[in-house]
Amino acid sequence: MRKQVVMIALSIASLIATQAQEYKIKRANGKLKIDLPSVTIEGYNGNEIIFTSQSKKAEVDPKAEGLETINNSGYRDNSGLGISVVEKGNTIEVNEVTENQDIKILVPKGVIIAWYWNKVTAGAKAIFRNLENEIEIDSYDDSVRLENVTGPLAVRAVYGYVEVVFRSPVKGPVSISALHASIDVSIPVDTKAGIRLTNLHSPIMVSPDLKIELAKRTEELPNYTTIIEGKLNGGGTDFWLTAKFGKIYLRKTK
Amino acid sequence: MSNRLEKYIRDNVEQLDRKQPNLAVLDRVLQEMKSKEQGKRGGSVISLRWAKWAAACLLVAAGGIAVWYFNKPQPATGFATTNIPEKRPAPMPKTEPVEPDVVEIKQDPVATFPKVVVHKVQPKKTIVFAGINDMQSAASRINAVTSASRMKNNGKEVVDALVKVLNNDPNTNVRLAALDGLTRFHKQANVRQKLVASLKKQQDPLVQIDMIGLLTGMRELGILSELEEMVNDENVHRAVKDIAWTSIHQLRTR
């Protein structure tokens, strides 16, 4: 019975594998601007940007052969994945054409990532992994998770939380700003950084293993904001975390 | 016919080849055959039920591969064109002829963008962030802004440049860095004026909240009318309205 189950599982897996769709572009540097609600972006050692749909494949419409889906904004699905991929100079722009697509993008490590999504998404997530170049993020509603990244990093989030796990060497500047949700960041203990943690209405929590040498502040203006400013391991790259209503957690990378 | 053949064989049986091998040789051959048969393992019997399952799985997998093959998108032969209008290039800052006195600004070697430089222009000593509008990288612009803010001999020129970034840069984190730089000059009358004017231009709640906090700390009564407009504006973010309302209260009661 067990063998039968294994064989069936293998068959189903092979079916799923054959259903995955890909779209590739030869590009190992430049900028990739992504305007998609739900996305997973991973760095790898290659020279192609590879887009894969993780959504269930739509039924094939024989009448649609040779045609492209086009949306309100004029974006055309030229990839077959429900997204538009267009080159503009040194930049590749990716935009949503069909709603609710879940796209995975493999990116060569020399490519700069800029991800924007400024619409309500009901719990969508953007995930970034294994990236060694600059990442720029602008999120309205999505939660954002970055794993095994080095920076530089510029993140702005309105409602979604931001989680970042850095690995050495952390490259600055790092600037993360969140309005309503929390910022949870892990950094290696040996990171050399000029730290500034700012929060308007919520606590700031820091790992005792991170020895921040606090700077003396001269408050010339009345200020209702909590500001922690200082040097970590003698100072270095600018490392700014700014929250208004959510907590800030600064941990050491495990 | 066959009777004739049988009769012929019977009549000529003595002439047929009826030679036998030497008995010793025959014995040895028979012994070898017997020992080989003894060493041979019995064959396994494959259940017909198993064979059916295996065949079914193979069929399913083959079907999947066939579906994938006939439905796979055509390989991209190039980038699609789009009817989305090209973004107009950001206006370049007006600059006087630049003399060769160039001060380099620290830049991390992570992105390959034009070198960030501050050009000192004679005789007005106007400092502009040469190339900042051309920088695709938000991190490079943050570096340029923070480096200029920290220069020892900064003055009106740096203020003008920071105000320009505060009003025009597309990235929230870069605008926040510019606002932070301007905080150092809050005692200057022209900075106060420019901050008040800039508050009207800001749309991002994170920048709006920081600006309201700064101007309220500076006890700038000139923003009261703007704050009242914000409180009554449907398009202003709820969190900004709350902060604006608190600031109105603080400015009127002190």
Side-chain angles (χ1 to χ4, degrees):
Chain A
M1 184 64 187
R2 193 186 299 163
K3 283 184 182 174
Q4 289 169 340
V5 171
V6 169
M7 287 176 84
I8 291 167
L10 282 173
S11 305
I12 291 169
S14 71
L15 260 182
I16 290 168
T18 53
Q19 290 288 310
Q21 301 175 81
E22 273 187 0
Y23 183 78
K24 296 179 182 179
I25 292 171
K26 262 215 171 331
R27 180 64 69 94
N29 50 34
K31 189 169 187 176
L32 180 65
K33 283 175 75 175
I34 304 151
D35 209 342
L36 300 172
S38 183
V39 71
T40 301
I41 300 167
E42 285 187 17
Y44 84 113
N45 293 317
N47 58 2
E48 285 180 319
I49 300 174
I50 304 172
F51 302 83
T52 315
S53 173
Q54 301 186 115
S55 306
K56 195 179 166 188
K57 194 185 173 190
E59 207 172 286
V60 176
D61 176 5
K63 288 184 177 179
E65 196 180 337
L67 306 178
E68 289 176 341
T69 308
I70 184 167
N71 71 2
N72 275 346
S73 306
Y75 295 117
R76 293 168 184 269
D77 177 9
N78 63 326
S79 63
L81 306 175
I83 58 172
S84 150
V85 183
V86 176
E87 186 182 31
K88 289 186 177 173
N90 196 32
T91 303
I92 291 172
E93 293 187 3
V94 183
N95 286 281
E96 184 186 55
V97 178
T98 311
E99 287 185 353
N100 301 323
Q101 295 301 314
D102 187 5
I103 301 292
K104 181 174 179 179
I105 308 174
L106 288 178
V107 184
K109 292 190 173 173
V111 174
I112 292 174
I113 307 292
W115 176 77
Y116 314 94
W117 188 256
N118 274 300
K119 292 176 192 164
V120 175
T121 51
K125 235 183 189 183
I127 298 169
F128 304 78
R129 285 193 195 106
N130 311 329
L131 295 162
E132 293 176 5
N133 211 335
E134 185 184 341
I135 307 170
E136 193 181 319
I137 292 173
D138 191 339
S139 166
Y140 181 76
D141 202 30
D142 275 50
S143 292
V144 177
R145 179 162 174 83
L146 298 101
E147 302 164 8
N148 197 29
V149 297
T150 60
L153 199 56
V155 180
R156 175 251 194 198
V158 177
Y159 285 105
Y161 63 78
V162 181
E163 288 178 345
V164 189
V165 180
F166 282 97
R167 71 168 170 81
S168 283
V170 176
K171 294 181 280 188
V174 172
S175 172
I176 303 174
S177 311
L179 184 57
H180 287 288
S182 62
I183 300 173
D184 189 333
V185 174
S186 304
I187 53 173
V189 265
D190 59 352
T191 302
K192 291 177 178 292
I195 301 271
R196 189 159 64 171
L197 314 173
T198 311
N199 207 324
L200 186 60
H201 282 295
S202 287
I204 296 171
M205 282 162 277
V206 180
S207 163
D209 295 319
L210 299 171
K211 310 293 183 195
I212 301 173
E213 185 188 328
L214 292 179
K216 285 180 184 170
R217 289 182 59 83
T218 50
E219 299 290 348
E220 294 180 342
L221 293 169
N223 202 326
Y224 303 99
T225 305
T226 308
I227 301 174
I228 308 296
E229 202 165 13
K231 292 176 180 176
L232 183 61
N233 298 309
T237 191
D238 285 324
F239 196 99
W240 296 359
L241 309 182
T242 306
K244 300 299 173 200
F245 298 98
K247 292 178 183 174
I248 292 178
Y249 308 90
L250 183 60
R251 315 169 192 276
K252 66 168 182 174
T253 305
K254 285 176 186 169
Chain B
M1 180 78 176
S2 62
N3 291 339
R4 282 175 62 194
L5 179 62
E6 284 170 6
K7 185 172 179 295
Y8 174 81
I9 292 170
R10 262 198 312 271
D11 295 346
N12 300 289
V13 69
E14 293 305 320
Q15 293 170 22
L16 293 177
D17 184 10
R18 300 182 65 195
K19 285 178 187 169
Q20 283 193 346
N22 181 297
L23 278 178
V25 174
L26 188 60
D27 276 351
R28 203 165 61 237
V29 170
L30 288 173
Q31 281 297 330
E32 278 179 13
M33 284 174 71
K34 200 178 272 181
S35 65
K36 273 184 189 171
E37 272 181 7
Q38 279 171 352
K40 207 186 261 182
R41 291 173 56 192
S44 62
V45 179
I46 298 169
S47 139
L48 190 60
R49 207 162 140 227
W50 268 105
K52 278 181 186 172
W53 273 106
C57 290
L58 278 174
L59 269 176
V60 172
I65 291 164
V67 168
W68 166 77
Y69 181 78
F70 290 110
N71 291 330
K72 75 174 176 182
Q74 294 299 311
T77 52
F79 291 99
T81 52
T82 176
N83 57 355
I84 298 160
E86 292 280 333
K87 279 184 187 166
R88 283 186 297 172
M92 292 292 293
K94 288 178 186 172
T95 57
E96 306 275 335
V98 179
E99 60 88 34
D101 184 9
V102 173
V103 179
E104 287 199 16
I105 287 181
K106 179 195 80 177
Q107 190 180 24
D108 287 342
V110 289
T112 53
F113 289 99
K115 188 178 272 187
V116 184
V117 292
V118 175
H119 296 263
K120 286 186 182 173
V121 181
Q122 299 293 344
K124 292 181 181 176
K125 286 189 178 178
T126 303
I127 295 175
V128 295
F129 293 74
I132 197 167
N133 288 335
D134 298 330
M135 291 180 199
Q136 287 187 46
S137 155
S140 299
R141 300 200 300 276
I142 290 172
N143 269 340
V145 167
T146 51
S147 299
S149 311
R150 288 166 185 162
M151 285 169 69
K152 283 182 182 171
N153 297 321
N154 48 23
K156 182 179 178 301
E157 298 83 8
V158 170
V159 167
D160 288 346
L162 290 175
V163 169
K164 197 165 191 171
V165 172
L166 176 63
N167 290 337
N168 299 308
D169 198 280
N171 184 280
T172 299
N173 298 71
V174 179
R175 293 201 300 277
L176 287 172
L179 180 59
D180 181 72
L182 285 167
T183 307
R184 296 160 206 258
F185 306 97
H186 73 271
K187 287 180 181 166
Q188 295 179 17
N190 67 323
V191 172
R192 189 178 277 262
Q193 269 181 343
K194 285 175 177 171
L195 285 172
V196 172
S198 180
L199 180 59
K200 296 180 182 174
K201 296 180 181 173
Q202 300 302 329
Q203 300 294 318
D204 189 291
L206 283 153
V207 181
Q208 286 173 322
I209 288 172
D210 275 10
M211 286 194 82
I212 292 170
L214 175 61
L215 288 161
T216 305
M218 290 162 64
R219 294 204 44 74
E220 176 52 60
L221 298 176
I223 60 167
L224 274 169
S225 59
E226 179 61 21
L227 293 179
E228 281 166 1
E229 277 181 34
M230 284 179 154
V231 168
N232 296 314
D233 187 344
E234 284 180 358
N235 297 318
V236 171
H237 196 283
R238 164 63 65 188
V240 178
K241 286 185 179 191
D242 292 343
I243 300 286
W245 185 247
T246 308
S247 289
I248 290 170
H249 182 71
Q250 287 173 352
L251 289 170
R252 282 189 177 151
T253 53
R254 278 182 191 172

